[in-house]
Amino acid sequence: MESQKAEVAYEVLPYLRVYQDGHVERLSETEKVPPGFDPKTYVTSKNLLILPDRHVSARLYLPKITNINKKLPVLVYYHGGAFCLSSPSSPMYHNYLNSLVSKANVIAVSVNFRLPPEHRLPIAYEDSWAALQWVASHSKGQGSESWLAEYADFNKLFLAGDSSGANIAHNMAMLAGDPKTGLSVKILGIALVHPYFWGSKRIGSDTDDPRINPVGDGAPSLLCLGCTRVLVCVAGKDILKDRGWLYYDTLNKCGWNGVVEFLETEGEKHSFHLKKPTGQKANVLNERLISTGTSLPVAYEDSLAALKWVAYHSASIDPQTGVQSKDVSIQKETGLSARLYIPKIISNDQKLPLLIYFHGGGFFAESAFSPAYHSYLNSVVAEANVVVVSVEYRLAPEHPLPIAYHDSWEAIQWVASHSKGEGHEPWLKDYADFDRLFLAGDSAGANIVHNMALRAGEEELTNGVKILGSILVHPYFWGNEQIGSEGSDPVKNDMINKIWLIACPSSTGLDDPHINPVAKEAPSLSKLGCTRVLVFVAGKDMLRHRGVIYGETLQKSGWGGVVEIIETEGEDHVFHLLNPTCDKAKSFMNNLVSFMNHDNK
């Protein structure tokens, strides 16, 4: 037997060695720990043979139960290890799942699928799909596992994995979205941590197996992805980083009807969070992963800090549009900053309209530097041929309102200080036409636009600069008295209430003039400090009626300007950011461009 074992068929060092007789010697990640009660996290775990005919097992995790009547989200986890190594019983994964389950307060099922080379792919995919179906079989209180039948909330089912496990999670979501296979329950979200995607060619089109190259020419469209939320995490020093970015970018642009987020951890390598689990960067990644299932847009819960998760895209020259961007500091004391954009073709003799943009996110989420806004404003600058200043104001709850309003006003005044060729920013001095100054924003950013325009009607801007127009995209206005369809979804209604009350604890309530500009206590809209206003609303947006009423009230207020209301039927809140390539988003962009380029000089 020893002589047979000595004949090596092949080896992949330092991971495994395969002998001619078929025997496999794994050289790493072979240590195992038993399940049980963890005194540090109060999480209990147990092993189950869930699919006896396949010899597939799982390790289940249950957090400390404090309320037997409260159902918990379900996380199905697929471990990494290049498909060939590790298991849920390894100390690294066991400790990681204990911590994750405790912090996220979820039930976790860590799947022990069969490994190559003894069990070659697609066996691991088949085992993982069968395990997911086994989990789903408990959705109606049935099934053999009491933890799932009693405590699991199958309206909050998530998949996650790292490396090859992230690859599996993606492929499971694709199967779940295929009507031929399907799943008896819906997957709410997936988290792909340092996903193992690859291809036979360098980044670009190719025809590889779609399971390893989900964006290749032969792969099914990501439109089929069977979930509504995706988080993609990459590490700056990971050779797989660009594949993860390409997956995110492709999903973001393909028209898939969901929300995809991106997180890059700079300066770290593949699976660093497992090898250095107590580091600050690992904590950031894990918090991001946790909030995939607890943040307001998904579950409408109270964990506002979860919405802080945001990817950051570097300023650059955009290869598609030729738009240049750079980041500037406006006020060092407070950290107030902005991202500036100029179009490709610039003539020193031609001054361009100037747009100051305020991002959305409920006053406590998103960023001027996020991929979604960076990509969107690249398009705006290229299409409209304008200079853009995208403001990075401080966020609640660490910096509660009115701080965001103060920052926004400071940013506008800083921009205006360049109107006579002064100031330190050459892009503003050389290219901006301050007679064509516009403010724009979406959601909470549109709320900021209104409040800034109102203040500009009461206070003079630096150098006497005037705001020509304001653009409010799906504005976040609200009030105590429900109107329109606001009562149709009590959970979402409650979420919108909470966003304001937590973002602005000093508020007088939901009829505070900052959130309800048509309330009795609000200043007259006739004081608005601009001459043109464009209000966009979306037909399926719960905020639609507030936007319409704002526009109609402004028309009747005695204000001496022109207001236009444009509704996009059949679409929801900020659809143009979520699905920027659809026909309605293109129509939206055309209206935006037309408004800024209208001859009003």
Side-chain angles (χ1 to χ4, degrees), residues 173-179 220-227 251 254 256:
M174 290 295 289
L175 284 172
D178 187 341
S221 170
L222 293 181
L223 283 169
C224 301
L225 200 66
C227 59
L251 182 59
C254 74
W256 172 69

Side-chain angles (χ1 to χ4, degrees), residues 265 272-274 276-287:
T265 308
F272 75 92
H273 63 297
L274 297 172
K276 298 185 289 185
T278 59
Q280 181 180 2
K281 291 181 179 179
N283 289 334
V284 171
L285 188 152
N286 292 332
E287 288 299 324

Side-chain angles (χ1 to χ4, degrees), residues 257 300 473-474 492 537-544 568-578 584:
N257 190 26
Y300 308 127
V473 180
H474 309 164
K492 195 170 184 178
V537 297
K540 292 184 177 180
D541 187 1
M542 186 177 279
L543 300 176
R544 171 194 174 275
T568 308
E569 296 182 356
E571 294 292 345
D572 213 331
H573 195 64
V574 297
F575 74 92
H576 62 295
L577 294 175
L578 304 177
K584 292 181 180 178

